[in-house]
Amino acid sequence: MPRTSTRTPADTAAVLHQPDLLDLVGDIYQAGLEPERWPIVLGRISQAFEADLACIYTPAPAFPEQALYLTHNFSDSTQAQYAAYYHQHDAWTGAANQRDIYIQGLVAFGEELIPQAHLHRTEFYNDFLKPNGMEWIITTALFDGRADPRTPATHMTFTRHRDHTVFQAEQALLIDLIAPHVRRALLAHWRLTEARQLAQTHQDALERLGYGLILLDDTGKHLNHTPLAERLLQQGHGVTLRAGRLRTANLEDQNVFERLIKQAILGLGGVLQLRIGQSSFNTQAGCTFLRVTAMPVKSGQSLPHGLPSSPFQRPGVLLLIQAPQASGASITDLHTFVTRHRLTPAELRVLQSLLNDRAPKKIASEQGVTIKTVRTQLSSLFAKTGTRNQRELVKAALASVI
């Protein structure tokens, strides 16, 4: 039967003396803060268990940002087969659910959930496990999803091939020791993901409305900017960036612009309209001014998402630049495109990030998922939309906007 911990001090000491175990615990917490590290860390955990495969997943997340499917040594086809069909016919999971023993903290061997003789008669074994060489598992419920909807049911499972030995009590002790650290790291992972997505939503809303953000230090020197601000700076409409300093496109506006920044450094915000020179942008936008709002940044004030600064830089001014017809603001309705190609919410988030000039690695960081997950979603987007690469996908999405 599944068991809770029965370890003795001597047992614990023996397991803790495994080489690099304390370093592994540190890596687990680091993965909670840097989600892109999970695949490497899960591989290290799998090695500690002498397992051939490993998986941490949420079978039924309550919210999209909680979706988690971390694997080690699972091929893409194996993952696809399980996600598409066999997760509903998993004999191990079915037995645990039927007996109501997926309870946080319990550890179980596969043969405890369902005897091997019974397992070998199931479709799950003969059509999925056996062809993939899987035979023995040890599993635990990191969260059972009963106490708090923000911590969905989450399982951690290690698998060995059928030509290897079964898991022993030593691995049960090890999973009992490691699981609490994985649990805490996942809590940090989810909280950070929620915060990043909320901040990203705010930034995307600003860009949809045609607002770019530029961060200056307490001397007026450029520190960082958002993607829409980058496009505006490159186009040279009203303001440009030269040698780390902002310059107005029309020289007669420079003195007024510098005064606006100095006032913001001193704690006084203000608004300025900069003239836009003759350009295709001006013709398309139908306006002759670029509106710039300068806001002082107080010590310790949190900064908008996408505008980080180092501890050695002291932010002083946040500039909000309004360009009503900038490229980021023209993407207002993807409903038709999403409906036609039956995109999932996760795929839509990736598409929207691509439309905001995010690279896959940046998308993974902002959404709190692995780069492998983003690449899988991109592959699905290409297949659904009949495109071959990111450029074709973006072009097709933009062409559909009404």
Side-chain angles (χ1 to χ4, degrees):
M1 288 295 293
R3 74 291 309 277
T4 54
S5 173
T6 58
R7 65 177 182 263
T8 66
D11 293 332
T12 302
V15 174
L16 286 175
H17 277 89
Q18 287 193 26
D20 301 326
L21 185 57
L22 292 179
D23 286 342
L24 175 58
V25 170
D27 285 346
I28 289 171
Y29 285 109
Q30 195 65 32
L33 301 176
E34 303 175 48
E36 66 274 9
R37 295 178 59 86
W38 274 118
I40 296 175
V41 173
L42 186 56
R44 287 200 60 200
I45 299 175
S46 183
Q47 289 176 0
F49 281 86
E50 298 179 350
D52 296 300
L53 304 97
C55 183
I56 299 176
Y57 70 107
T58 53
F63 306 102
E65 62 269 15
Q66 294 174 336
L68 194 68
Y69 194 28
L70 306 172
T71 62
H72 170 67
N73 271 353
F74 276 79
S75 67
D76 291 341
S77 62
T78 300
Q79 290 188 67
Q81 289 174 6
Y82 188 83
Y85 180 77
Y86 289 104
H87 75 284
Q88 297 177 336
H89 302 273
D90 187 326
W92 286 317
T93 301
N97 288 333
Q98 186 176 17
R99 295 159 60 186
D100 196 25
I101 55 175
Y102 257 136
I103 300 173
Q104 182 172 315
L106 289 185
V107 179
F109 298 110
E111 56 271 27
E112 293 176 328
L113 298 173
I114 177 172
Q116 292 302 103
H118 293 172
L119 177 68
H120 289 174
R121 292 196 293 269
T122 65
E123 175 190 17
F124 177 62
Y125 179 82
N126 287 288
D127 293 351
F128 181 72
L129 295 181
K130 188 175 180 180
N132 288 291
M134 293 184 261
E135 184 80 18
W136 315 105
I137 68 163
I138 185 171
T139 184
T140 188
L142 295 170
F143 300 99
D144 54 29
R146 305 182 188 195
D148 186 346
R150 294 182 302 171
T151 54
T154 305
H155 307 157
M156 179 166 66
T157 301
F158 301 94
T159 307
R160 284 179 178 171
H161 292 153
R162 60 176 176 267
D163 55 347
H164 293 174
T165 60
V166 299
F167 289 100
Q168 304 289 339
E170 181 180 353
Q171 283 78 45
L173 175 57
L174 183 59
I175 203 172
D176 189 53
L177 289 170
I178 286 182
H181 302 293
V182 178
R183 192 176 295 124
R184 296 185 192 106
L186 287 179
L187 286 173
H189 171 105
W190 284 322
R191 300 300 178 264
L192 286 173
T193 298
E194 290 173 1
R196 287 166 178 160
Q197 289 189 344
L198 179 60
Q200 186 62 52
T201 298
H202 290 165
Q203 179 179 320
D204 288 346
L206 285 173
E207 295 213 356
R208 290 289 186 272
L209 294 171
Y211 289 97
L213 301 179
I214 300 178
L215 184 65
L216 308 178
D217 68 11
D218 56 2
T219 69
K221 189 174 181 179
H222 171 270
L223 291 179
N224 213 331
H225 54 254
T226 59
L228 176 54
E230 167 76 21
R231 294 193 289 273
L232 294 173
L233 291 172
Q234 289 180 348
Q235 292 167 346
H237 302 307
V239 63
T240 59
L241 179 63
R242 294 197 298 271
R245 297 281 178 176
L246 295 177
R247 298 286 185 267
T248 59
N250 290 285
L251 295 180
E252 54 267 36
D253 290 333
Q254 186 63 32
N255 289 336
V256 180
F257 182 61
E258 290 180 353
R259 187 159 57 248
L260 176 73
I261 293 175
K262 289 178 181 178
Q263 288 177 347
I265 293 174
L266 295 174
L268 300 174
V271 180
L272 175 66
Q273 291 192 106
L274 297 177
R275 281 167 287 186
I276 299 176
Q278 294 298 322
S279 64
S280 59
F281 175 87
N282 184 34
T283 301
Q284 294 173 2
C287 62
T288 56
F289 293 97
L290 194 71
R291 184 181 178 87
V292 179
T293 302
M295 297 172 285
V297 178
K298 299 178 181 178
S299 177
Q301 178 179 334
S302 60
L303 297 172
H305 184 78
L307 291 176
S309 62
S310 76
F312 306 103
Q313 300 169 320
R314 293 193 299 176
V317 180
L318 181 64
L319 296 180
L320 184 68
I321 301 182
Q322 182 181 12
Q325 296 298 321
S327 56
S330 63
I331 306 167
T332 58
D333 187 3
L334 290 170
H335 177 73
T336 302
F337 189 77
V338 171
T339 303
R340 181 190 308 140
H341 299 291
R342 299 181 180 180
L343 303 188
T344 67
E347 291 165 351
L348 175 57
R349 288 196 296 272
V350 170
L351 175 59
Q352 288 174 323
S353 294
L354 288 176
L355 293 173
N356 280 315
D357 293 340
R358 306 292 200 281
K361 187 175 181 180
K362 181 69 172 176
I363 296 173
S365 174
E366 291 177 346
Q367 297 190 5
V369 299
T370 66
I371 185 65
K372 183 177 180 180
T373 297
V374 173
R375 286 172 178 159
T376 299
Q377 292 165 341
L378 280 173
S379 297
S380 179
L381 281 166
F382 297 153
K384 288 182 177 182
T385 60
T387 55
R388 294 171 295 179
N389 51 49
Q390 295 176 37
R391 178 174 294 181
E392 288 187 3
L393 175 61
V394 169
K395 184 177 180 181
L398 291 175
S400 73
V401 175
I402 299 176

